[in-house]
């Protein structure tokens, strides 16, 4: 997994520059007095960690280091430890329930966050793990979305259930679950539309998908994965709130951590929602989706 950590660290480098560069400037100047702590708090907020996390970390630094001469290396390490402690409880890999045939995963999120790509990456990894998988092209609103999923299906040797543009996604999901149950498929991955500008329609659509799934399996969906795009920063917080009102989100995937300067958002999400972060995306290839590791991420963020 060293390769992935290297990519994660490289991907986070813009976030790191912001946080770590700012930190050096603050700490190098003087000892950790009120002004320095205040600047540090602002820096943490600017780096998208959120006001709650920032104030808690600053309170901790005040308790342990107030008035002391500190080095930026010491602060960097202490910060990485604090961040890792916040992230550790949410760093929970996605568990498939082997008694479910299939384990149904509903993938939701705003347009463009990376739902279809994440499903494609998961399909590849499931294929490599010898799992039988079926994909549902439930974003029937845009024809391109169905084609995009079909390309991933071909690439990963995974069948795709799709309909014409405008087809009822709930109908597709129902048919897919019938087929998946009949041939003992391990995982059913359902793509959905992310038309947040028409929230009522989207909510109805998701509710209907869930309703028809439950006609066949009252325990489905077993996972509701909300995909968030790290580059949207604080916006991601609002997206979680909105989607939690629509569906019972069980976990998050945070994409586009490569090249985003806003990786700190993962810390704010952990603090605010305590939802499991199952995986992170650091690129467009199948191997660029990996389980979320608290310490690796915290160290990556601080450039350690
Ligand atoms: N750099 C980068 N691009 C990504 C990542 N995940 C998805 N993308 C890209 O983001 C764009 C939107 O992704 P898509 O899966 O179509 O989003 P959807 O509308 O939610 O289904 C595509 O160009 C993807 O290749 C990631 O982790 N890193
Ligand atoms: Mg899509």
């Amino acid at each position: 997994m060293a390769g992935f950590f290297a990519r994660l660290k490289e991907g986070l480098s813009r976030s790191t520059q912001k946080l770590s560069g700012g930190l050096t400037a603050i700490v190098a100047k003087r000892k950790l007095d009120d002004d320095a702590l205040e600047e540090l708090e602002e820096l943490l907020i600017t780096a998208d960690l959120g006001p709650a996390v920032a104030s808690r970390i600053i309170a901790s630094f005040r308790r342990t280091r107030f008035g002391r001469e500190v080095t930026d290396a010491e602060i960097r390490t202490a910060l990485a430890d604090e961040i890792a402690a916040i992230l550790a409880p949410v760093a929970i890999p996605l568990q498939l329930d082997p008694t479910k045939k299939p384990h149904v995963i509903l993938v939701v999120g705003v347009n463009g966050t990376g739902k279809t790509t994440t499903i494609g990456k998961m399909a590849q990894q499931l294929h490599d793990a010898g799992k039988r998988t079926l994909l549902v092209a439930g974003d029937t609103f845009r024809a391109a979305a169905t084609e995009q999923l079909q390309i991933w299906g071909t690439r990963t040797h995974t069948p795709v259930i799709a309909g014409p543009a405008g087809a009822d996604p709930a109908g597709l999901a129902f048919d897919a679950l019938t087929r998946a149950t009949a041939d003992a498929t391990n995982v059913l991955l359902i793509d959905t539309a992310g038309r947040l500008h028409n929230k009522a329609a989207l909510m109805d659509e998701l509710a209907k998908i869930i309703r028809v799934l439950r006609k066949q399996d009252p325990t489905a969906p077993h996972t509701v994965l909300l995909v968030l795009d790290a580059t949207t920063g604080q916006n991601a917080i609002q997206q979680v709130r909105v989607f939690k009102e629509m569906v019972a989100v069980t976990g998050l995937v945070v994409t586009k951590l490569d090249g985003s300067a806003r990786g700190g958002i993962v810390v704010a999400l952990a603090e605010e929602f305590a939802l499991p972060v199952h995986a992170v995306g650091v690129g467009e290839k199948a191997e660029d989706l990996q389980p979320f590791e608290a310490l690796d991420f915290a160290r990556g963020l601080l450039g350690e």
Side-chain angles (χ1 to χ4, degrees):
M1 218 50 31
F4 182 73
F5 182 62
R7 275 210 299 290
L8 175 68
K9 196 173 159 181
E10 188 194 315
L12 287 172
S13 62
R14 288 183 56 211
S15 303
T16 307
Q17 267 166 34
K18 202 179 209 174
L19 191 55
S20 190
L23 191 149
T24 305
I26 292 167
V27 173
K29 273 195 299 207
R30 52 176 179 259
K31 55 189 177 197
L32 214 56
D33 57 13
D34 278 320
D35 284 348
L37 283 171
E38 199 172 303
E39 282 177 40
L40 207 48
E41 184 166 3
E42 267 169 37
L43 176 70
L44 298 179
I45 293 170
T46 312
D48 284 299
L49 276 74
V53 167
S55 91
R56 199 143 50 79
I57 290 178
I58 295 308
S60 159
F61 282 180
R62 186 181 289 282
R63 256 194 328 274
T64 52
R65 294 182 176 80
F66 186 77
R68 276 183 37 202
E69 296 276 356
V70 288
T71 63
D72 61 338
E74 178 191 346
I75 293 297
R76 192 172 290 127
T77 303
L79 206 47
D81 289 346
E82 298 269 0
I83 289 172
I86 293 167
L87 295 178
V90 302
I92 303 168
L94 179 59
Q95 287 282 357
L96 296 175
D97 182 346
T99 69
K100 305 294 180 196
K101 289 240 169 67
H103 181 112
V104 180
I105 304 178
L106 183 67
V107 181
V108 302
V110 175
N111 266 342
T113 54
K115 291 181 297 299
T116 305
T117 306
T118 297
I119 289 171
K121 292 170 174 175
M122 290 172 78
Q124 179 69 59
Q125 294 178 7
L126 288 163
H127 174 78
D128 293 347
K131 303 281 185 207
R132 192 193 283 259
T133 305
L134 182 61
L135 310 181
V136 183
D139 182 357
T140 59
F141 201 65
R142 301 176 305 159
T146 294
E147 283 163 28
Q148 188 189 355
L149 194 70
Q150 280 168 329
I151 291 168
W152 274 106
T154 305
R155 191 184 294 164
T156 63
H157 314 283
T158 308
V160 180
I161 299 283
D168 178 15
L172 294 178
F174 186 86
D175 291 349
L177 182 52
T178 308
R179 171 170 160 184
T181 307
D183 67 6
T185 285
N186 299 105
V187 184
L188 181 65
L189 277 162
I190 306 173
D191 199 3
T192 63
R195 291 175 287 140
L196 206 52
H197 57 273
N198 194 345
K199 195 180 141 191
L202 180 57
M203 193 163 173
D204 285 349
E205 191 164 297
L206 296 175
K208 188 174 173 197
I209 293 172
I210 292 171
R211 210 161 54 236
V212 303
L213 291 171
R214 287 186 178 157
K215 284 186 185 159
Q216 291 181 59
D217 178 353
T219 66
H222 308 103
T223 300
V224 178
L225 215 51
L226 173 58
V227 178
L228 299 168
D229 170 350
T231 63
T232 60
Q234 294 300 313
N235 225 315
I237 302 273
Q238 189 53 28
Q239 289 174 19
V240 180
R241 288 204 188 103
V242 171
F243 273 90
K244 271 175 60 121
E245 282 173 28
M246 295 198 267
V247 276
V249 175
T250 61
L252 307 177
V253 169
V254 183
T255 65
K256 306 188 200 180
L257 281 160
D258 49 314
S260 162
R262 316 202 67 173
I265 191 61
V266 182
V267 187
L269 288 165
E271 173 79 15
E272 176 90 20
F273 301 107
L275 279 166
V277 179
H278 293 310
V280 290
V282 295
E284 297 181 279
K285 293 195 291 296
E287 64 269 27
D288 293 331
L289 182 77
Q290 288 288 331
F292 178 62
E293 303 275 358
L295 195 56
D296 281 358
F297 191 86
R299 287 185 177 153
L301 208 50
L302 271 304
E304 292 224 308

